[in-house]
């Protein structure tokens, strides 16, 4: 299954919220957001995903620079 993907490589941290919100407004999960290895970028994306009441997880145990966004809540964000 090919997932719609948002690649945030070369995106500035200040632009990430707008980019991710626009992507999630037009894309139904499951989808992929490529963050690269920046911990700050991952935290920004995870917070936005949480605000949409979605969940995300690393694409694989070897690729921590790509998050898969799903509708099902796999984490308790409370």
């Amino acid at each position: 299954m090919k997932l719609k993907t948002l690649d945030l490589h070369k995106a500035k941290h200040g632009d990430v919220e707008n980019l991710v919100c626009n992507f999630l407004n037009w894309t139904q999960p499951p989808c992929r957001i490529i963050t690269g290895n920046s911990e700050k970028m991952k935290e920004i994306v995870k917070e936005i995903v949480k605000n949409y009441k979605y969940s995300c997880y690393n694409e694989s145990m070897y690729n921590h620079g790509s998050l898969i966004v799903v509708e099902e809540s796999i984490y308790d964000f409370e």
Side-chain angles (χ1 to χ4, degrees):
M1 175 164 117
K2 185 170 179 162
L3 298 176
K4 291 200 177 192
T5 301
L6 173 64
D7 188 348
L8 296 174
H9 281 113
K10 300 181 184 177
K12 296 178 182 172
H13 290 132
D15 296 333
V16 171
E17 182 174 1
N18 189 45
L19 292 168
V20 173
C21 287
N22 285 336
F23 179 70
L24 292 177
N25 285 339
W26 295 100
T27 305
Q28 283 294 105
C31 57
R32 176 185 299 115
I33 300 177
I34 300 171
T35 61
N37 292 321
S38 167
E39 289 301 320
K40 179 156 178 73
M41 184 79 73
K42 288 184 227 177
E43 289 303 316
I44 294 168
V45 170
K46 287 177 182 179
E47 188 62 32
I48 296 165
V49 167
K50 175 182 166 184
N51 290 339
Y52 274 78
K53 307 287 191 237
Y54 296 150
S55 296
C56 62
Y57 57 89
N58 290 331
E59 183 170 12
S60 74
M61 62 189 290
Y62 303 106
N63 184 2
H64 295 268
S66 181
L67 299 172
I68 303 300
V69 178
V70 293
E71 287 186 276
E72 300 86 28
S73 180
I74 59 173
Y75 303 109
D76 182 7
F77 287 117
E78 312 266 333

